[in-house]
Amino acid sequence: MEKTTKKRIQKTIIKEHETNPWNNAIIQLEKAATSISLDKNVLNILKHPVRVLITSFPVRMDDGRIEVFKGFRVQHNMARGPCKGGIRFAPDVDLDEVKALAAWMTWKTAVVNIPYGGAKGGVVCDPTLLSENEKKHLTRRYTYSIINMIGPNQDIPAPDMNTNPEIMAIMMDTYSMIRGYTQLSVVTGKPVELGGSLGRTEATGRGVFITMEEALRQQNLRCCDGIKIAIQGFGNVGSNFANIAYQRGGRIIAVTDLYGGVYDPDGINIPHLLEYTSKSQYHSIKGYSDANELEKHEIFALPVDVLAPCATQNQINVSNADDISAKLIVEGANGPTTPKADEILVEKGIEVIPDILANAGGVTVSYFEWVQGLQSFFWNETQVNNALKEILVRSFHEVNQVKTKYNVDTLRSAAMCLALKRVAHAINLRGIFP
Ligand code: GLU
């Protein structure tokens, strides 16, 4: 074999290893386990998801063809309560990704101390190639395939990448039809008219903002006058974070999405950009003419105060971590930074507010929605937003206290230590059945 080919293959293997989310979830888990001297048996339990379901199911397409789709639902751990976590539709979603995302949900719900375990689901599909009708059929058949795993006391799905309140309404309806009664609290992130919570749609982005504000305050910076922000990803999380930060005086100088990027050193007018994307193909920012065009990869090296990766996993890795000059990274996405990149960021002195804290606003308001549905008693938006802020601010400070207590190098490790302590304590209190 030629030397260059050999080198390329080696590089691919290293990259695949670096970017396997399940490997990364295990690396993070082991690191925190060492820091808190976690019992080996408990660690072993947490290295394995409790339940994994892989399903293939047929869907009749608009043209009469029948296509077979593959789906997953993984329950990582349920020591602290019913499993909780979103469902993503993506062409490249696989079991290792869903396992990692489920584990991150276990840690996330523990960090903010809401009474859940962690789960995640996914369907391998390209939503841009599906009609609305096909998406509905796919959602119904997928829900039917996982129906024995889910339930308000068992496992409560929610939106994630490429899923939304309308999809949650179909999931709720499918579950309710099979059971024979309406069960609102089987999923969260539903439309408000159908048992959804006010504030849920914005909640993840709002949480990213709240944790950023706390971190800046800690550095004696006032949020957000003059704070320069770059946002990778303009879906639910990125766009709501951008909007809230903009309303609060933040200067969003760059935004990218799957299709392109825009840049304006004086700050992008976010309400205008949102209006543009609401009408553009795939709701993309591409072609927005009131700012300069930016190559997607350029977002990482921009001279900003805050970089917010709000797209997907592995975006900050060995290939670009060294270029980052932001002072603070706030992770709106799940798993956007690889452990190898984390090491580089520590050396560079860049603080990272980890996903399991920074993007926990979504699941926190999901918890409020679940409670409201179970009680059939609904809150106003101020109550929701105040309760969210209280939980996230408290959690931010608890994570910082743990960082000092265990003398760990990053907020990620601290958040993991806090989560692990809580989950391990629940496992120990419950004991091993039978
Ligand atoms: N998919 C979101 C997350 O990753 C929300 C999960 C939920 O609300 O259950 O946190």
Side-chain angles (χ1 to χ4, degrees):
M1 204 185 301
E2 241 182 80
K3 230 179 167 180
T4 46
T5 320
K6 230 176 165 179
K7 240 185 174 171
R8 202 173 326 122
I9 294 173
Q10 227 168 20
K11 247 186 164 174
T12 315
I13 294 171
I14 292 169
K15 176 133 206 252
E16 266 167 24
H17 192 78
E18 191 207 347
T19 56
N20 179 304
W22 181 242
N23 283 349
N24 292 345
I26 294 291
I27 291 171
Q28 293 162 351
L29 169 60
E30 283 179 336
K31 188 176 172 198
T34 307
S35 300
I36 63 166
S37 308
L38 182 71
D39 177 277
K40 291 272 174 297
N41 294 311
V42 175
L43 173 61
N44 198 26
I45 292 173
L46 295 171
K47 278 183 174 177
H48 299 87
V50 166
R51 204 172 275 144
V52 171
L53 183 131
I54 306 175
T55 171
S56 294
F57 54 90
V59 176
R60 191 177 293 284
M61 310 302 275
D62 290 350
D63 62 3
R65 264 180 319 117
I66 291 168
E67 216 170 284
V68 178
F69 290 90
K70 193 172 183 180
F72 310 97
R73 184 75 185 167
V74 174
Q75 296 173 343
H76 172 256
N77 187 271
M78 53 190 84
R80 301 181 68 257
C83 293
K84 187 85 193 80
I87 307 275
R88 65 174 49 177
F89 290 173
D92 54 357
V93 60
D94 63 20
L95 185 58
D96 274 358
E97 180 179 328
V98 180
K99 277 164 65 182
L101 289 160
W104 289 330
M105 287 308 300
T106 302
W107 315 135
K108 196 186 299 186
T109 51
V111 167
V112 289
N113 213 359
I114 56 178
Y116 290 132
K120 205 76 170 199
V123 178
V124 185
C125 66
D126 184 344
T128 62
L129 302 178
L130 297 172
S131 71
E132 285 308 306
N133 207 31
E134 289 167 341
K135 252 189 256 176
K136 277 185 191 160
H137 288 319
L138 179 147
T139 302
R140 284 210 189 276
R141 246 340 260 264
Y142 170 70
T143 309
Y144 183 75
S145 298
I146 63 166
I147 201 145
N148 290 324
M149 266 175 106
I150 60 173
N153 297 316
Q154 221 175 320
D155 179 357
I156 306 116
D160 196 76
M161 252 163 57
N162 297 321
T163 53
N164 56 29
E166 287 68 40
I167 302 273
M168 294 306 115
I170 301 287
M171 290 194 76
M172 189 280 278
D173 182 70
T174 307
Y175 182 89
S176 298
M177 283 296 139
I178 303 290
R179 293 286 181 254
Y181 52 89
T182 294
Q183 179 54 265
L184 293 181
S185 285
V186 61
V187 294
T188 58
K190 299 179 295 294
V192 173
E193 304 79 3
L194 209 61
S197 177
L198 291 166
R200 174 61 185 87
T201 302
E202 305 80 19
T204 313
R206 185 176 295 282
V208 175
F209 178 81
I210 293 168
T211 54
M212 174 185 80
E213 193 180 25
E214 284 311 299
L216 291 173
R217 187 170 293 149
Q218 221 173 34
Q219 296 175 9
N220 289 326
L221 291 170
R222 229 187 57 189
C223 193
C224 292
D225 303 337
I227 296 290
K228 283 188 282 175
I229 305 171
I231 305 173
Q232 188 218 18
F234 208 58
N236 171 278
V237 184
S239 64
N240 280 297
F241 168 63
N243 201 26
I244 295 166
Y246 178 87
Q247 305 301 342
R248 295 285 296 273
R251 186 154 34 119
I252 292 83
I253 68 160
V255 178
T256 57
D257 69 10
L258 207 53
Y259 306 95
V262 289
Y263 172 69
D264 184 344
D266 295 328
I268 297 163
N269 184 323
I270 296 298
H272 277 180
L273 183 62
L274 284 168
E275 207 189 310
Y276 174 83
T277 58
S278 71
K279 292 177 195 141
S280 72
Q281 198 186 14
Y282 306 132
H283 298 298
S284 172
I285 58 175
K286 196 172 170 61
Y288 180 66
S289 56
D290 279 351
N292 305 309
E293 213 176 310
L294 181 79
E295 291 291 330
K296 285 194 290 179
H297 68 271
E298 289 174 338
I299 191 113
F300 297 106
L302 292 176
V304 287
D305 299 300
V306 179
L307 172 65
C310 297
T312 185
Q313 59 270 9
N314 299 325
Q315 298 303 298
I316 301 176
N317 50 56
V318 283
S319 74
N320 59 14
D322 217 22
D323 305 333
I324 294 175
S325 61
K327 297 185 190 80
L328 177 70
I329 294 175
V330 198
E331 295 185 334
N334 289 313
T337 311
T338 66
K340 284 218 154 51
D342 261 338
E343 287 171 18
I344 298 171
L345 297 174
V346 169
E347 268 172 38
K348 287 171 69 84
I350 298 172
E351 177 155 276
V352 180
I353 310 179
D355 47 4
I356 55 174
L357 172 64
N359 73 32
V363 73
T364 301
V365 177
S366 274
Y367 165 53
F368 302 156
E369 177 176 333
W370 179 72
V371 168
Q372 292 170 74
L374 290 175
Q375 299 182 338
S376 293
F377 185 73
F378 290 86
W379 310 356
N380 66 43
E381 200 166 348
T382 311
Q383 277 174 296
V384 171
N385 288 344
N386 287 346
L388 170 65
K389 187 161 184 180
E390 194 183 313
I391 287 182
L392 287 184
V393 170
R394 187 199 64 215
S395 304
F396 180 88
H397 292 288
E398 281 175 351
V399 168
N400 275 277
Q401 281 155 12
V402 168
K403 185 168 185 267
T404 314
K405 181 171 172 196
Y406 290 102
N407 193 23
V408 289
D409 55 354
T410 62
L411 287 178
R412 184 179 330 278
S413 291
M416 282 294 302
C417 289
L418 177 63
L420 212 43
K421 274 261 168 203
R422 285 179 175 156
V423 175
H425 190 52
I427 291 173
N428 288 331
L429 284 173
R430 290 177 66 153
I432 301 299
F433 178 85

